[in-house]
Amino acid sequence: RQIRGPWINIPLGNSNNTIRSAGCLVTSIAIQMARSGVQINTTEEFNPGVFVQFLNQNGGFTSGGALTNYTLATKMAPNFKYAGSTSVMGYSQDQKYNTLVDLLNKGYYVVAEVKLGNKSGQHWVAVISAQNGEITMVDPASDNTSMWKKYPSAGTSRYVYYKVG
């Protein structure tokens, strides 16, 4: 989680942001890297802190702490390949769900932007599965597992996805 663990105070690049304050995207990507079972190039036990330290050493963040490039994950785990990003802004809930199911059925590891530009900023989660209209997630900021029970579907704006291969 971005809110628990010895890594929470690691800065995102040279910014004032830390994993705890703004690390939901990189934590979600790290969760999916670990779930995929691919070989990760580190001698340490892999966790969000190890991933962020790698990104820090490889120009992974803007001066404001935003991730610069989704493909950097592949540099750390060569078989975990960035496959794309799909905007679902303006889609109906059914269209967002069906787009996500299609990505999951193709074997992609998906991270979803579930809040965009509202008062509390943006937020990302790692998607685990989608069945019968229910989306199961790992939320870096909470123990909630139901994506649209925690975050209304109207806030889901983008899917970023990776493949093993």
Side-chain angles (χ1 to χ4, degrees), residues 16 34 41 61 65-66 73 83 97 105-106 110 118 133 139 146 149 161:
N16 292 325
N41 294 333
F61 297 100
Y97 181 80
N105 285 343
K106 290 177 178 172
V110 179
N118 63 18
D139 184 351
S146 177
K149 285 184 182 166
Y161 44 100

Side-chain angles (χ1 to χ4, degrees), residues 3-141:
I3 57 171
R4 286 193 299 266
W7 50 80
I8 64 172
N9 293 316
I10 296 173
L12 305 179
N14 294 321
S15 75
N16 292 325
N17 289 315
T18 63
I19 293 174
R20 181 184 182 104
S21 68
C24 55
L25 173 57
V26 290
T27 301
S28 294
I29 294 170
I31 290 165
Q32 295 295 40
M33 287 172 72
R35 283 188 65 239
S36 75
V38 298
Q39 177 69 38
I40 299 171
N41 294 333
T42 181
T43 56
E44 302 174 68
E45 183 178 342
F46 184 70
N47 61 51
V50 169
F51 185 44
V52 167
Q53 288 172 331
F54 170 83
L55 293 171
N56 284 342
Q57 294 164 1
N58 288 277
F61 297 100
T62 66
S63 61
L67 185 64
T68 60
N69 188 334
Y70 295 119
T71 64
L72 284 173
T74 303
K75 192 170 180 181
M76 185 171 206
N79 289 320
F80 190 74
K81 300 186 184 307
Y82 171 72
S85 175
T86 299
S87 173
V88 292
M89 278 181 71
Y91 285 26
S92 70
Q93 180 172 321
D94 284 345
Q95 289 170 318
K96 290 176 183 189
Y97 181 80
N98 291 335
T99 300
L100 179 60
V101 167
D102 185 53
L103 292 170
L104 294 172
N105 285 343
K106 290 177 178 172
Y108 292 119
Y109 291 84
V110 179
V111 295
E113 186 175 29
V114 293
K115 292 192 305 185
L116 175 63
N118 63 18
K119 287 182 249 178
S120 56
Q122 72 180 131
H123 187 59
W124 293 82
V125 300
V127 175
I128 305 303
S129 64
Q131 272 186 308
N132 303 319
E134 179 78 19
I135 301 168
T136 303
M137 67 172 177
V138 174
D139 184 351

Side-chain angles (χ1 to χ4, degrees), residues 2 83 132 150 160:
Q2 80 183 82
N132 303 319
K150 173 69 176 167
V160 171

